[in-house]
């Protein structure tokens, strides 16, 4: 971590002048929401939280930070799961949470230009006004903001059909570490004029600059959507079932989630009103969705044919189709309640990993054995986005063990599971990023050549090292 | 352009030893196919053409080039349209045309690992063996090679549904300028562990390293495909028709091409056996295709409904649906024959540009006026991928003018058309890249900040400037 200066009082006053006193937070009580995060792993401190109202103000702040060599932590919705948005000490916090303008929806309604502080759910609502969808979708969508979604290249439940944040972005506006504004707000689908600066900035977690606005892709709104929940004998069958679903539905397969029996058990036990929609209990379940832009797109027939074929091949043991929007929402709520239900079971050690899709069953079998060895009785609850190879390999504490004693095993368990992930050619961060939480693991596990290239790039775009210091690299 | 050393005789011998004498071409006759390109704009010279057979050999060549400060021009299928693959003088040519192995198709058949020298059509054939498609598709697919496709971030006719080369690539293997091998051959769909080195390398046109292999995405093979050819009153109607098609079909709309009457006239006149499939003559035509992975995916009904709706709204004046594979091929041949037919009409000045989709009609109207002023009687033949905003704005010479006199206007016309493109927030290279042809235009028109960032990145990844010197930047 490079060293930098804490801002002087005079500098703090100049910074406050840019955004106005009411948007320059020095009072601990007003700072508090910007200095903790919902997993409660990190508690930061900072001389000042600045809430600029425009790109111009962000630019002026960065020009001063650059001249005075002051560390800057960009923050959007503060929903990040790896601590990337929390300062470590003397840095100032630059929150984009006042930059909530939707600047434009283009005439063809294929894109919209939004500022970094727009809440994801508000972006959804705006798209729907124009009979379109912006498909990036995740549990935190009521509070996460576009700037953070892009800075972390967020994923979610619709990556299978629509891609992650990077794939959903056409153009960017960002302020560079020296305060200059990069206007890359294009809505072009094709532009082969040099290096891909956009995709370099997306996913760099605020270490190369501050994203202030973006042009997001819009898609036709599905007018037919069918959801099914199926019981599976084992994960190998789930793999074949996924392939079959892709062959039947192609891009119409908009979700394919998997979860173990224990996840459903926990949801049914802890979340009021939830129940297993299938009569029998299966070791594994899949939740899948097919969508068509046409009201009569044949999705029901396609789903019937898929389930019949899967049943005939003994890939599924039981299945139910949601015949109404309410029933579909209930199925999705099962899936979305897993994390909350798990919380009620005590401590949970989490891994957001991806592996080549075909190795998911092997990964889970071997990870379970590793976990059992480290902590006998611990209960793995692996679930996630099968079509993306993305496993949320979360482990609930053994019943009766103390929460603190279990969580003390976090690092040991992470290291062992990540070693397995790397041996299977997987990724130790599928969608949450690196931030502070996985920085040491990245340094330990990422090939030296890649780390070197990243550090070289960082060194020429942020030569003073003031952008989100101590994160990622 | 940085200066570098021409290789000494001793160095040439060491380089030849790596690949074997038969793959080290010093004889002008054997070098010739590597030193000219099919538009015949560039003629290069080189002390040696090296044809390594493996990544290891590429690595050894680059280590020597780095140590001796020798410029290197990577080449794959030599089908590039901007001269990026042709040496300017003392550089050596490194052709990957012997690296044609398909290393692996994964068990789930969602990806395949191919070497950089695999011909695109061979990649298609391999995918089809596994009942899959690799959707990158363009006129040169019988001779272009994957390494070049990725180095230039190639586009083509299916970008609308599947994206360009960048979107179709999961992992990369590349040799860096100092000879080190970067193994980024992952088939993960999600990996948020640091900066996006893959997308930085893709589209960098051989200026940051040499792509030696890639993991390509595969997709389910469409089992139903319907094609239509429609006459349109004007381009504004075409825009609304495109939007309607996207609303009807969503991701099932796999192509939407537009072309003017003069293009069809030229094809009918010059290409044996071709005729206008519509009875009447329209000022503009659209060629569109809908695809479904299911044999009974309802594509015929969807197309019927789309055309009925478009006709009712007076967006199209006439249309025909291909009722067989042969008829569909005939429709596609009309589109694919435009460039060849244009050749028979004498000289043609070309622009591969993109503009925001909604400004396509304005762009073409204003470009036509500009062209008429520069060269009265010149005949614009603008066609392309409407859904991508990509216009091949090609201009045929006036009848009766000398070819040479017309082509002497190339730069004047390019500059004027590119100025218009930039004023409309478009791109001067939609899919062909920059290479040598558009290097001066890039320097003239790209924002200084972006050029600076690109140069800084180039300087830390290729500090000696030996990779494809004089190209792009």
């Amino acid at each position: 971590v490079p060293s930098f200066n804490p801002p002087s009082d005079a500098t703090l006053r100049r910074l406050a002048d840019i955004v106005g006193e009411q948007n320059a937070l020095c009072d601990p009580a007003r700072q508090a929401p910007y200095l903790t995060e919902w997993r409660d792993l990190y508690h930061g401190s900072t001389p000042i939280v600045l809430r600029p109202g425009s790109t111009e103000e962000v630019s002026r702040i960065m020009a001063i930070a650059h001249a005075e060599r002051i560390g800057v932590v960009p923050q959007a919705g503060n929903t990040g799961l790896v601590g990337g948005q929390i300062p470590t000490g003397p840095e100032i916090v630059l929150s984009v949470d006042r930059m909530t303008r939707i600047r434009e929806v283009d005439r063809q309604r294929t894109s919209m230009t939004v500022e970094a502080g727009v809440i994801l759910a508000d972006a959804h609502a705006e798209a729907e006004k124009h009979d379109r969808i912006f498909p990036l979708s995740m549990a935190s969508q009521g509070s996460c903001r576009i700037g953070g979604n892009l800075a972390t290249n967020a994923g979610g439940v619709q990556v299978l059909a629509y891609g992650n944040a990077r794939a959903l972005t056409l153009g960017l506006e960002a302020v560079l570490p020296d305060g200059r504004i990069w206007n890359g707000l294009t809505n072009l689908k094709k532009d082969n004029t040099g290096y891909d600066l956009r995709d370099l900035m997306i996913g760099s977690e605020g270490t190369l600059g501050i994203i202030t606005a973006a042009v997001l892709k819009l898609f036709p709104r599905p007018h037919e959507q069918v959801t099914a929940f199926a019981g599976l004998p084992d994960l190998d069958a789930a793999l074949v079932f996924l392939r079959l679903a892709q062959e039947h539905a192609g891009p119409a397969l908009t979700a394919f989630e998997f979860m173990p029996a224990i996840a459903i058990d926990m949801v049914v036990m802890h979340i009021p009103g939830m129940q297993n929609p299938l009569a029998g209990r299966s070791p594994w379940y899949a939740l899948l969705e097919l969508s068509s832009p046409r009201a009569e797109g044949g999705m029901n027939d396609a789903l019937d044919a898929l389930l019949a074929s899967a049943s005939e091949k003994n890939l599924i043991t039981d299945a139910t189709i949601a015949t109404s929007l309410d029933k579909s929402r209930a199925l999705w709520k099962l899936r979305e309640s897993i994390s909350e239900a798990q919380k009620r079971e005590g401590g949970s050690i989490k891994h957001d990993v991806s592996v080549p899709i075909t190795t998911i069953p092997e990964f889970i079998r071997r990870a379970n054995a590793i976990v059992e060895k480290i902590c006998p009785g611990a209960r793995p609850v692996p679930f996630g986005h099968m079509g993306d190879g993305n496993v949320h390999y979360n482990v609930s504490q053994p019943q009766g063990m103390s929460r603190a004693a279990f969580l003390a095993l976090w690092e040991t368990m992470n290291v062992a599971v990540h070693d397995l992930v790397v041996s299977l050619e997987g990724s130790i961060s599928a969608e949450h990023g690196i931030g502070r939480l996985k920085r040491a693991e990245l340094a330990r596990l990422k090939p030296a050549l890649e780390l070197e290239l990243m550090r070289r790039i960082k060194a020429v775009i942020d030569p003073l090292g003031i952008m989100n210091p101590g994160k990622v690299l």
Side-chain angles (χ1 to χ4, degrees), chain A residues 44-272:
Chain A
S45 66
T46 185
I48 198 164
V49 175
L50 298 169
R51 303 175 66 216
S54 68
T55 303
E56 192 56 39
E57 289 181 9
V58 176
S59 165
R60 289 167 60 200
I61 293 167
M62 287 310 306
I64 292 177
H66 190 254
E68 307 277 333
R69 207 184 162 106
I70 296 165
V72 178
V73 178
Q75 192 179 103
N78 190 13
T79 60
L81 296 171
V82 290
Q85 73 278 22
I86 303 296
T88 55
E91 313 97 298
I92 63 174
V93 174
L94 192 160
S95 170
V96 294
D97 62 356
R98 288 179 59 231
M99 296 178 60
T100 55
R101 271 201 316 145
I102 287 163
R103 292 189 190 162
E104 189 189 356
V105 174
D106 83 314
R107 276 192 293 143
Q108 196 78 353
R109 293 180 280 154
T110 56
S111 70
M112 64 178 171
T113 308
V114 304
E115 292 187 339
V118 169
I119 290 177
L120 179 53
D122 293 340
H124 292 167
E126 180 69 23
E128 274 157 31
K129 274 192 223 163
H130 302 272
D131 199 31
R132 291 290 184 273
I133 59 164
F134 176 60
L136 190 70
S137 184
M138 62 200 72
S140 59
Q141 61 200 30
S143 49
C144 66
R145 295 173 191 269
I146 295 296
N149 293 146
L150 301 199
T152 58
N153 187 30
V157 293
Q158 299 213 78
V159 173
L160 185 63
Y162 297 99
N164 54 19
R166 199 172 270 135
L168 296 172
T169 305
L170 291 168
L172 276 190
E173 177 190 83
V175 175
L176 297 184
D178 61 8
R180 286 185 295 172
I181 298 168
W182 171 41
N183 180 352
L185 286 176
T186 169
N187 77 354
L188 300 175
K189 309 264 178 180
K190 283 181 171 179
D191 178 14
N192 275 349
T193 55
Y195 304 160
D196 187 358
L197 301 174
R198 179 192 67 200
D199 290 335
L200 186 62
M201 192 63 76
I202 296 175
S204 65
E205 303 187 35
T207 64
L208 298 178
I210 300 175
I211 294 168
T212 50
V215 182
L216 306 177
K217 280 188 201 170
L218 299 178
F219 293 81
R221 193 162 68 86
H223 286 91
E224 187 184 20
Q225 209 151 35
V226 293
T227 315
F229 188 77
L232 307 159
D234 54 52
L235 269 184
D236 294 297
L239 271 185
V240 185
F241 184 34
L242 166 65
R243 193 169 66 201
L244 197 65
Q246 288 175 317
E247 284 166 358
H248 272 255
L253 182 69
T254 44
F256 193 105
E257 303 282 306
F258 76 100
M259 60 214 87
I262 188 176
I264 300 302
D265 294 345
M266 287 180 175
V267 169
V268 170
M269 184 176 306
H270 295 296
I271 310 296

Side-chain angles (χ1 to χ4, degrees), chain A residues 4-48:
Chain A
F4 18 58
N5 306 325
S8 68
D9 287 350
T11 301
L12 287 176
R13 273 192 301 275
R14 285 171 63 209
L15 290 168
D17 281 348
I18 293 170
V19 297
E21 284 301 328
Q22 72 282 18
N23 298 311
L25 318 182
C26 296
D27 174 49
R30 294 187 68 199
Q31 284 188 349
Y34 298 88
L35 298 178
T36 53
E37 37 77 50
W38 81 278
R39 271 197 192 162
D40 209 27
L41 292 173
Y42 298 103
H43 298 259
S45 66
T46 185
I48 198 164

